[in-house]
Amino acid sequence: MLFDKFRDMADFQAELAARDIAPFGAVTEELLSATEGIVDGRRVILAGTNNYLGLSWDPRCIEAAREAAQRWGTGTTGSRLANGSFAGHQALEREIAQFYGVDHAIVFTTGYAATSGMVSTLAGPGDAILLDADSHASIYAGVNLSGADIIRFKHNNPEDLARRLRRLGDRASQALIIAEGIYSMYGDIAPLQEIAAVKREYGGYLFLDEAHSMGTLGATGRGAAQAAGVEDDIDFFAGTFSKSLGAIGGFCVSRHPEMEAIRYCIRPYIFTASSSPSIIASTREALRIVAAEPQLREKLWDNARRLHQGLGDLGLPVSPAPGPVVAVELEDRSATIDCWKALMEAGIYVNLVVPPASPSTNYLLRNSVSAAHSSEQIDAIINAYASLVERGLAAAAA
Ligand code: PMP
């Protein structure tokens, strides 16, 4: 039957409804700041966004968006190839290429389109793709569309990557290797020095998705490769405007001149409308701020360390190292749902992550940190978890 495959999801939805919660349908009814809002009728601290630098709420970004909407209208109503390339799109491409110190950049309407569009176009039948097993859904979508041979290497495991490249023999030098800077669920950072060394030994082209690391890592916010000092080994940097830059959209930059031909072969670039002028304008302002204000990154990391330490001190099973994402990993679905609900009642909104969105069969309370959180807000998050532990809600899983 056509609908049989949705039965498990329907059952899960019924279970959540019976508990009177809707973790995947929570509605933000009002935003009070970058870190506070009214969600499902309750005033909460937002600890489940990707607003790592708080820039979605920055007055300079808002003013840039307002001004652009007034001058350019609300949308382009066309794809980049037709009527959808405005001066702002081109300027953003120039600025993001300059930010990365390379000559070529393509701006996409979403991050999902950037990663899936690039990898599905770069590799085709007869090519080999080696991707980290925990890659984001947009990367999987792209590689599945590519028609290339798909080889997964163990998450963050350069030795396994080397083994698989070795097995490819002569084909290794033309393979597309895909990794992410910071992984979105546990917040762990890829061992890029080791991955780059493997690439130097066997060849191939390295594609790095810096979605969660652009803005949050590196001296000027270029991401994990900048922090690891291996930018010269990266062939393609991809990323999104929907996290540190506080808007929506995606990009890919590269030093390879072939990018200008590749651009016209990417279906999610050709067959979708371009970003609205206001989004492009706020993103340009946010990019300028990311480069000019390293203190935002410092505050983000202070908050990340404070939250990681606080949750760790409670004995909770947290991600191994502090970062913009601090996940609490639990084995029991029911206990995790109870925790999510109790956190909401305590005024803390986090992400409930269930398989297959979580990388294992476990369940996650995914907390994300922002430079815009005050230390008091971070402490309020820790205190809410402390009361879960006191009430025995999280203890069962810890
Ligand atoms: N890559 C990664 C690693 C991501 O986590 C995400 C979004 N969660 C994307 C790409 C897609 O970005 P966007 O949501 O901006 O489309």
Side-chain angles (χ1 to χ4, degrees), residues 92-104:
L92 177 54
E93 282 180 344
R94 269 196 310 277
E95 287 158 8
I96 200 150
Q98 211 167 29
F99 177 75
Y100 274 94
V102 296
D103 286 337
H104 306 282

Side-chain angles (χ1 to χ4, degrees), residues 110-112 115 136 138 180 184 209 211-212 240 242-243 249:
T110 66
Y112 192 103
T115 41
H136 186 257
S138 59
E180 296 174 27
S184 58
D209 185 351
H212 294 266
T240 173
S242 71
K243 304 186 196 299

Side-chain angles (χ1 to χ4, degrees), residues 8 33 53 86 91 109 122 132 141 150 162 194 242 260 273 282-283 294 325 327-328 380:
D8 283 353
S33 72
L53 301 181
F86 285 18
T109 309
L122 280 169
D132 186 289
I150 301 165
E194 292 80 357
S242 71
E260 296 313 321
S282 76
T283 301
V325 177
V328 174

